[in-house]
Amino acid sequence: LRAYTDEPGMLYMAECNYPGWTAYDNGARVPVLYANLAFRAVYITPGRHEIEFRFRPKTLSWGAILSALGLVGVLCAMFAPGGKAEAS
């Protein structure tokens, strides 16, 4: 987002604030604040701003790790010796 203001204020986003959001103002990390109990906002000073919001929940990393472990387990089971039934 690009913003310009003559006075300090809050840049308010009408999207749910959920753990995992980070914000950057002109490349510097800034705190993501709660607005109206559920939404997110960042404090901005007078001047020009380029605000970037990024979402990376902790569950994403855990999901990727568990998926990789599951894939390794399936591959090991598929290629393990004696894993196939013999036809008689």
Side-chain angles (χ1 to χ4, degrees):
L1 303 168
R2 290 188 182 134
Y4 178 82
T5 181
D6 292 327
E7 298 178 7
M10 301 291 283
L11 176 68
Y12 171 82
M13 299 295 296
E15 297 176 336
C16 288
N17 191 4
Y18 185 80
W21 280 106
T22 55
Y24 297 85
D25 184 358
N26 294 329
R29 189 168 179 174
V30 293
V32 177
L33 308 169
Y34 278 92
N36 292 341
L37 300 176
F39 304 116
R40 60 187 147 89
V42 293
Y43 176 79
I44 57 175
T45 56
R48 294 184 188 277
H49 300 271
E50 190 166 318
I51 311 287
E52 180 180 349
F53 287 98
R54 296 180 190 167
F55 185 62
R56 186 174 176 93
K58 291 181 182 179
T59 54
L60 178 67
S61 299
W62 281 107
I65 291 168
L66 292 175
S67 294
L69 289 174
L71 178 62
V72 168
V74 168
L75 292 173
C76 287
M78 286 176 56
F79 297 105
K84 296 180 181 179
E86 293 184 23
S88 32

